[in-house]
Amino acid sequence: MNTTLRIGLLVLLLPLQSTAAEQTAAAPTTNAAPVIPDSDPELAEIIVQAPEPRYVAPTNRDRIGRVWVPVFINEKGPFRLVLDSGATRSALTPKVASMLDLPLNKTPPVMLRGVTGSAIAQTVRVDSISVGDLYVGPSTVPIVADAFGGAEGLLGTDGMRDKRIFIDFRNDFINISRSRNRRAAAGFQTVPFLKDDLNLLIVAATIGNLPVRAIIDTGAQASVGNVALQTALRRQIQRNSRGQDQVTGATGDVQVGIGARISPITIGDLSIRDAHVTFGDMHIFERWGMSDEPAVLIGMDILGLLDTLVIDYRRMELHIKRKRDFS
């Protein structure tokens, strides 16, 4: 069986010429007052709301199952950007650039690094990117031809250093606020980030008894393992192979891998059985310098099984709450 997977991750942006530095400032106040879920003790601040769900289930609209965030660009919008914890920068589609009258010939191009390849991309200059407590000042933003699933761009991690993202999958709710440096609430498990120089969200995991570095990527539809992991799990993959998967990255490049059901993937006390992982020599693992050690990119096919996910960048922690019927 052949399966097509889409991963809208932009992990690195290398300017082909020098670009202006980004600035982060205090977010403007909004008058939004939606109903606040009781499960999050920090939601007294600005709440993100939109007329459509922030989490789109695989059976809905884009059939991908990623987190949509209503984002204001130059104080206009909101636009539907995919929350992408694997992207070092935000990105917009040509349609959004056109709607905002942003010229494509005033800023230098950049090199995009995606899961499946690299590409030179045009850029535009924006005055502000804002959602909740996140406010990024004047910055240069790349243009991606397709953010997949009807999204109008990607919301990357620039400006997130002191932020806390609360995602309630069950109630289609997301909040981006300043972290108050609090420990995880009751009922949540804490998983610390691993320190690295790549500005990635990486945690320690195991597959069976094998230690693995797991990159948490909310912008990816599916989970992908590198060749080192494929070699280490070759017997399990041979037994549980599901055929070839075609992976399309944000740059439009396509790579083919082997899909297989893998058990168990363990992150902290959370254990996931029969997860579908695509294995292959994906471009991004070489770029990350992760070709020689087992590594897996955890996408929304696994993250979306949770009840609630909190990403606290200030504390460098994930706070995870599993569904009651999770197994």
Side-chain angles (χ1 to χ4, degrees):
M1 179 179 67
N2 294 331
T3 303
T4 300
L5 307 173
R6 295 176 174 85
I7 301 180
L9 175 148
L10 300 175
V11 296
L12 186 64
L13 289 167
L14 298 178
L16 300 184
Q17 302 177 29
S18 60
T19 60
E22 295 177 334
Q23 301 175 357
T24 303
T29 303
T30 71
N31 295 321
V35 177
I36 298 174
D38 295 333
S39 56
D40 184 13
E42 294 200 12
L43 289 183
E45 300 184 49
I46 299 173
I47 306 300
V48 177
Q49 63 175 352
E52 294 180 329
R54 269 67 65 185
Y55 175 70
V56 184
T59 54
N60 240 344
R61 192 177 296 275
D62 68 2
R63 308 186 69 84
I64 291 180
R66 299 175 303 173
V67 178
W68 276 355
V69 184
V71 178
F72 289 86
I73 309 294
N74 294 350
E75 300 183 358
K76 297 178 180 179
F79 298 98
R80 298 179 300 190
L81 271 59
V82 171
L83 178 65
D84 193 344
S85 62
T88 55
R89 296 281 188 89
S90 298
L92 302 176
T93 61
K95 177 182 176 181
V96 173
S98 176
M99 292 173 64
L100 295 173
D101 293 323
L102 300 174
L104 299 176
N105 58 353
K106 300 296 185 181
T107 50
V110 295
M111 180 68 73
L112 296 184
R113 306 288 185 183
V115 168
T116 55
S118 302
I120 296 174
Q122 292 179 298
T123 62
V124 293
R125 187 71 174 168
V126 300
D127 295 327
S128 65
I129 300 173
S130 60
V131 53
D133 275 350
L134 176 67
Y135 183 88
V136 179
S139 56
T140 300
V141 177
I143 299 298
V144 291
D146 188 358
F148 309 131
E152 295 172 306
L154 304 172
L155 181 65
T157 60
D158 43 328
M160 295 285 192
R161 181 173 297 181
D162 63 343
K163 299 301 185 291
R164 177 181 183 272
I165 303 173
F166 175 91
I167 309 168
D168 183 340
F169 294 109
R170 180 164 47 88
N171 294 308
D172 290 337
F173 181 90
I174 182 170
N175 174 59
I176 300 178
S177 63
R178 291 182 182 85
S179 169
R180 297 182 180 179
N181 200 27
R182 291 179 176 174
R183 296 180 179 178
F188 286 77
Q189 184 199 352
T190 299
V191 180
F193 299 177
L194 296 179
K195 293 184 179 180
D196 76 285
D197 297 325
L198 300 171
N199 293 320
L200 296 175
L201 203 171
I202 304 176
V203 299
T206 60
I207 299 182
N209 295 321
L210 180 70
V212 175
R213 290 166 67 84
I215 302 96
I216 306 300
D217 183 15
T218 59
Q221 171 195 1
S223 300
V224 179
N226 66 357
V227 172
L229 182 59
Q230 181 179 2
T231 301
L233 300 177
R234 58 187 179 278
R235 292 182 180 177
Q236 187 175 169
I237 294 172
Q238 289 173 355
R239 290 196 305 269
N240 302 315
S241 175
R242 294 295 187 269
Q244 288 189 337
D245 290 338
Q246 181 174 289
V247 180
T248 303
T251 61
D253 296 286
V254 177
Q255 287 189 267
V256 175
I258 299 298
R261 293 286 180 180
I262 299 299
S263 291
I265 300 175
T266 303
I267 301 174
D269 293 334
L270 182 70
S271 184
I272 304 102
R273 294 189 169 276
D274 294 325
H276 185 102
V277 178
T278 301
F279 295 91
D281 188 15
M282 300 299 161
H283 166 85
I284 198 59
F285 288 113
E286 180 180 357
R287 184 68 198 180
W288 281 336
M290 294 185 184
S291 297
D292 299 329
E293 58 180 328
V296 61
L297 185 150
I298 302 293
M300 288 306 302
D301 56 337
I302 291 177
L303 298 175
L305 298 175
L306 299 172
D307 180 281
T308 308
L309 173 66
V310 175
I311 305 173
D312 194 321
Y313 283 99
R314 180 179 178 184
R315 292 185 61 85
M316 296 186 65
E317 293 176 346
L318 292 183
H319 301 164
I320 295 172
K321 183 179 181 181
R322 69 176 70 195
K323 292 179 180 178
R324 293 180 180 179
D325 59 351
F326 187 91
S327 59

